[in-house]
Each structure stands twice: as C-alpha cells, then as structure tokens.
Amino acid sequence: MAQTGGARGGMDIQDQKETFDGFLLASVWGGALIVQAVALLTLAFAIGAGWWAGWIAFVVIGIVAGFLFRLSSVFWAVQVALWVLLGLGGLIVPALS
C-alpha cells in the first residue's frame, strides 16, 4: 500500500534537469541541421535553383535558428565551419568540371 505523510519534493533532481536540457539542446541542433540540409539539397538539386541559392537558405536557416533558440558559441562555430566548407565546395566542384 502507498505510504502517506512522506516529505514531498526532497529529492535532488539536478542531474535529471541537466540531462533533459542536454536532450533538448541536441534535439534543436539536430532539427536545425536536418532542416538546413533538406533546404540546401532541395534548392540545389530537386528544384534546380542552384548551389548558391541552397547555400544562402542554409545560412539563413542557421542564423534564424541560432538567434531564435539563443544557442551557444559552439553552435555558431559549427555553423561558420559548415558555411565555409559548403562555400568552398561550391567554388571547387564547378572548377573541376
């Protein structure tokens, strides 16, 4: 039978809060990257608008997600690295053709 009269709210749940915050952060990062990749690939290949239109959409979505969710400097560093790599790829691949 359930015990009554026990103290409520006495358990330390800091670890659970940190785990949940980490899960939400990973979900936002993953969701943003998936939306960015789908926009880039759709504009560049499916619609045929070109690589640079997809790259611009990728950058804009990254900026909006970063400001909307107030993401950390690590997110911005990853975004800038992706922007540079995708931009270099957009310059190098056509030059090789």
Side-chain angles (χ1 to χ4, degrees):
M1 200 169 217
Q3 296 177 354
T4 57
R8 289 187 175 263
M11 183 176 162
D12 181 25
I13 60 168
Q14 187 61 33
D15 290 339
Q16 287 86 352
K17 286 182 179 181
E18 290 173 5
T19 300
F20 185 68
D21 289 343
F23 171 76
L24 288 180
L25 183 62
S27 297
V28 169
W29 271 55
L33 288 171
I34 288 170
V35 170
Q36 285 178 294
V38 168
L40 172 70
L41 297 173
T42 300
L43 288 172
F45 300 116
I47 294 176
W51 182 260
W52 295 109
W55 183 82
I56 290 170
F58 190 92
V59 170
V60 169
I61 292 168
I63 291 170
V64 169
F67 283 125
L68 184 65
F69 294 107
R70 297 182 193 150
L71 296 173
S72 68
S73 59
V74 176
F75 175 83
W76 290 107
V78 169
Q79 285 295 307
V80 170
L82 286 171
W83 300 340
V84 169
L85 289 173
L86 290 171
L88 287 174
L91 294 173
I92 292 171
V93 170
L96 295 176
S97 302

